Amino acid sequence: MGKVQILEHPLLQHKLARLRDKNTGVKEFREVVGEIAALMCYEATRNLPTEEVEIETPVSVAKVRVLAGKKLAIVPILRAGLGMVDSMIALIPSAKIGHIGLYRDPETHLPVQYYCKMPPDISERQVFVVDPMLATGGSVVAAIDILKKEYGCKYITLLNILAAPEGVQAVAEAHPDVDIIVTAVDEKLNDHKYIVPGLGDAGDRIFGTK
Ligand code: PRP
Ligand code: URA
């Protein structure tokens, strides 16, 4: 089973509380999703390899450390994953972005694919799959299936703001090589497969569609 890292940082927990509050409006919700994604990106990149190089400062030569190793890619699951991309790209501007469009069928709760476009060299990149919500895990498992089977991706980390135990379990079973980074794992799913207590429908709250 991959590592499940729950980020307990006070800033993240405070911001997550803003997302949970039903009185938080679209503008603030969208901004806070971005802020959380930036802090999660900071943690997700903590162990990236670096190498020493020499540069000239205005004063002398300095030995400095710069990122080395695999190039990076961010793959948001549409729609809600889009809310996490801009603030991550601000931190890692050379990352390429792939998109996977999936929505949950309202009756079956199973993911339906409607879009997929990846950078050509995605198989060699360290991929961060991003989606605010990991509920049943159906969408994320399907997205990672596509990345592995159709694009040959080998290095995948999952960033979800909020998860249900069922989703964590589903990813661990289907993709035991994938580490998961979350800010909280909630109690359960309800009969409509929404996370409880959760924060509602992330896509609707980011884009104001309800
Ligand atoms: C939400 C969410 C995840 C998915 C999680 O998307 O953003 O992608 O549900 O549920 P799961 O773990 O049970 O698959 P949704 O299907 O509502 O689509 P949207 O982002 O377009 O609103
Ligand atoms: N998708 C959401 O946006 N919220 C949930 O609670 C479950 C799935």
Side-chain angles (χ1 to χ4, degrees):
M1 172 169 166
K3 240 186 332 164
V4 181
Q5 190 183 357
I6 302 175
L7 303 176
E8 309 277 3
H9 194 291
L11 279 180
L12 279 167
Q13 293 303 316
H14 183 88
K15 290 175 190 299
L16 176 60
R18 296 305 306 137
L19 297 188
R20 288 189 190 279
D21 189 334
K22 70 176 185 183
N23 295 314
T24 299
V26 171
K27 178 174 183 291
E28 186 187 359
F29 192 93
R30 193 185 297 136
E31 287 169 358
V32 173
V33 165
E35 290 165 8
I36 289 177
L39 292 166
M40 294 184 77
C41 181
Y42 178 76
E43 287 297 337
T45 52
R46 179 177 287 281
N47 295 317
L48 290 182
T50 58
E51 66 186 4
E52 189 176 271
V53 296
E54 281 192 356
I55 55 154
E56 281 184 43
T57 77
V59 179
S60 75
V61 172
K63 288 186 175 22
V64 295
R65 301 208 68 83
V66 296
L67 289 175
K70 288 179 203 60
K71 294 177 181 162
L72 306 176
I74 301 170
V75 176
I77 300 179
L78 309 182
R79 289 175 302 167
L82 286 175
M84 300 174 70
V85 173
D86 284 357
S87 64
M88 293 180 68
I89 278 293
L91 296 181
I92 43 174
S94 62
K96 295 273 172 64
I97 303 173
H99 294 87
I100 295 186
L102 293 169
Y103 70 87
R104 286 200 321 180
D105 181 285
E107 302 288 318
T108 66
H109 309 299
L110 293 173
V112 181
Q113 187 185 343
Y114 60 90
Y115 188 75
C116 195
K117 183 85 179 173
M118 292 296 143
D121 59 350
I122 187 94
S123 65
E124 296 312 314
R125 289 178 179 260
Q126 165 73 51
V127 178
F128 297 120
V129 173
V130 302
D131 190 326
M133 308 303 277
L134 177 62
T136 65
S139 304
V140 158
V141 167
I144 298 174
D145 276 342
I146 293 165
L147 286 169
K148 285 184 176 174
K149 292 181 187 151
E150 295 180 23
Y151 294 91
C153 295
K154 297 177 281 294
Y155 320 105
I156 300 173
T157 302
L158 176 61
L159 276 64
N160 299 117
I161 294 178
L162 194 55
E166 292 89 335
V168 173
Q169 178 76 19
V171 175
E173 279 170 16
H175 298 293
D177 56 309
V178 172
D179 291 343
I180 307 174
I181 301 178
V182 288
T183 64
V185 179
D186 273 5
E187 193 189 324
K188 61 179 182 182
L189 296 174
N190 67 14
D191 292 345
H192 303 287
K193 307 295 182 196
Y194 272 77
I195 299 175
V196 180
L199 52 75
D201 188 304
D204 282 342
R205 295 194 67 190
I206 290 171
F207 297 109
T209 39
K210 217 171 219 169

